[in-house]
Amino acid sequence: DADVTQTPRNRITKTGKRIMLECSQTKGHDRMYWYRQDPGLGLRLIYYSFDVKDINKGEISDGYSVSRQAQAKFSLSLESAIPNQTALYFCATSDLRRDYGYTFGSGTRLTVV
Amino acid sequence: DAKTTQPPSMDCAEGRAANLPCNHSTISGNEYVYWYRQIHSQGPQYIIHGLKNNETNEMASLIITEDRKSSTLILPHATLRDTAVYYCIVRVAPFSIIQGAQKLVFGQGTRLTINP
């Protein structure tokens, strides 16, 4: 099983719909992140969380919200999806105590029509 | 975090060493150099990181210049599976508890193509 699991892998939704992307991890890491990737723009940070009670905005948080339900779970919500939120979304984790790099999930490809 | 500059693309023959450069002239003393790669829309994969000494692991070697203003990632015997976008990232000490210190900021990276 993957260390960082994202669901769904692919999703097509309509403009205005609410959608949730889920991320769970088995690495025991305390820190979790959501990134989005658009062609030619690299990865951009949406939100990050250093523990269950800590949520921080990244560089492009408008239109998104997150929930850290447990140390192992970090969900990203689009309250009212719009077409320019069509992108590849990645969840990642890291550990303050043993920082040998982030571990990324396999991604969720979201299309808003 | 310091800004990095990488060439947009590079080619390398299979079996040869691939040397990927990165400039980070504004790096400060407590900032590390990290390398990640992303193979065709998969999640980015951590490769290696270092502060000022050269580092080597099972995947690659990292050479950091003495003034720390640039570095080179070396894949010693490139294979076709090494074709990917490689990202050079600079950020503060990994064990820092400063708010936001562990954010990874990705640039455009270098698209490395390994040719048969």
Side-chain angles (χ1 to χ4, degrees):
Chain A
D1 289 340
D3 292 323
V4 181
T5 302
Q6 292 183 232
T7 56
R9 290 297 307 275
N10 293 283
R11 180 72 180 267
I12 300 174
T13 192
K14 293 184 177 180
T15 298
K17 291 290 187 180
R18 183 180 188 276
I19 184 170
M20 178 182 289
L21 309 184
E22 302 197 30
C23 177
S24 63
Q25 53 124 339
T26 58
K27 294 189 72 68
H29 286 175
D30 50 352
R31 302 182 169 198
M32 299 187 74
Y33 311 79
W34 276 104
Y35 286 85
R36 68 176 274 178
Q37 185 172 35
D38 301 274
L41 294 180
L43 286 89
R44 293 181 292 168
L45 181 64
I46 306 173
Y47 270 96
Y48 60 101
S49 169
F50 283 2
D51 64 39
V52 176
K53 298 179 181 178
D54 177 81
I55 301 290
N56 305 283
K57 291 182 178 181
E59 56 183 313
I60 53 163
S61 59
D62 287 348
Y64 301 95
S65 62
V66 291
S67 173
R68 186 82 183 265
Q69 302 95 324
Q71 187 197 35
K73 296 183 182 296
F74 192 37
S75 301
L76 176 72
S77 293
L78 287 67
E79 297 300 326
S80 180
I82 56 177
N84 75 2
Q85 292 178 313
T86 293
L88 186 55
Y89 290 84
F90 289 104
C91 174
T93 71
S94 70
D95 186 345
L96 169 66
R97 294 174 298 277
R98 295 185 305 277
D99 181 53
Y100 299 118
Y102 285 22
T103 301
F104 282 81
S106 298
T108 294
R109 186 169 295 281
L110 176 66
T111 304
V112 183
V113 297
Chain B
D1 296 331
K3 179 178 170 59
T4 62
T5 303
Q6 299 176 253
S9 64
M10 293 182 64
D11 286 90
C12 179
E14 188 178 18
R16 295 293 192 109
N19 297 280
L20 291 90
C22 179
N23 286 315
H24 31 79
S25 59
T26 60
I27 193 170
S28 52
N30 65 345
E31 289 182 316
Y32 283 65
V33 180
Y34 280 74
W35 283 85
Y36 283 77
R37 73 180 182 183
Q38 186 176 23
I39 299 173
H40 188 57
S41 297
Q42 296 178 19
Q45 176 189 24
Y46 164 79
I47 302 173
I48 198 167
H49 75 283
L51 181 63
K52 53 184 177 181
N53 297 321
N54 298 337
E55 302 287 345
T56 296
N57 63 19
E58 65 279 4
M59 290 183 68
S61 295
L62 174 61
I63 308 299
I64 303 175
T65 58
E66 191 169 345
D67 63 8
R68 303 208 323 123
K69 293 184 177 182
S70 65
S71 60
T72 301
L73 177 76
I74 301 172
L75 308 178
H77 303 288
T79 70
L80 298 179
R81 288 177 292 181
D82 292 321
T83 292
V85 177
Y86 286 77
Y87 297 97
C88 170
I89 299 166
V90 171
R91 67 153 228 234
V92 296
F95 302 108
S96 171
I97 60 172
I98 296 171
Q99 183 77 335
Q102 280 205 355
K103 294 183 297 180
L104 276 182
V105 177
F106 287 82
Q108 299 302 303
T110 295
R111 183 172 298 278
L112 175 66
T113 302
I114 306 300
N115 300 307

